[in-house]
Amino acid sequence: MVIEVLREESGRELAATARFNEQEFDWDKHNTQFRKDYINTPLKELINYARLLYGLNNLDEIRDRRAAHKAARSKRMDGLHGLSNNSNDWIDDDFDQDEDDEDLETED
């Protein structure tokens, strides 16, 4: 859970920077590299990163942020499904990647 919150938060920051600089941001590449880089990082260190970088001071706050991420994703997916009912030509693979992330979640 902690690594997924950090992945999401860092990705949002990098995506915003890329948009500001009129550049593309590759979520798939970010997700893969982030997990590769941090998969063996001790939980205590990940929690420290969450505190220092995102002001998340404990597991409860991290858990709440993860719930907020999931709620935002559900809202996007609901919007996507509503649009796809109107047009079969509109597909966004980024949302599919978020669904795949559920399989990788762990409690650390």
Side-chain angles (χ1 to χ4, degrees):
M1 170 187 63
V2 177
I3 199 167
E4 292 305 309
V5 168
L6 292 170
R7 178 198 54 79
E8 180 79 18
E9 291 294 325
S10 65
R12 288 176 183 210
E13 286 183 357
L14 292 169
T17 300
R19 273 191 310 277
F20 180 79
N21 293 319
E22 298 178 3
Q23 298 172 344
E24 293 291 321
F25 178 72
D26 186 339
W27 271 98
D28 290 332
K29 182 177 176 182
H30 169 72
N31 292 341
T32 301
Q33 189 62 50
F34 191 92
R35 288 182 183 118
K36 180 181 172 187
D37 290 345
Y38 291 96
I39 195 68
N40 293 318
T41 303
L43 179 59
K44 186 174 182 176
E45 192 173 332
L46 292 172
I47 292 171
N48 192 44
Y49 290 151
R51 182 181 58 77
L52 292 173
L53 299 171
Y54 304 109
L56 303 171
N57 295 308
N58 55 51
L59 283 176
D60 289 333
E61 290 180 13
I62 294 168
R63 193 172 289 113
D64 291 345
R65 183 68 57 95
R66 183 68 177 146
H69 290 166
K70 287 182 177 184
R73 181 174 41 256
S74 291
K75 187 175 179 179
R76 287 193 314 260
M77 292 302 293
D78 289 345
L80 175 63
H81 291 301
L83 287 173
S84 66
N85 290 336
N86 297 329
S87 170
N88 291 328
D89 297 330
W90 197 86
I91 297 174
D92 189 338
D93 291 333
D94 288 343
F95 295 120
D96 293 335
Q97 178 64 39
D98 285 340
E99 287 179 339
D100 294 340
D101 292 344
E102 296 300 316
D103 298 333
L104 298 172
E105 256 189 66
T106 62
E107 271 304 307
D108 8 343

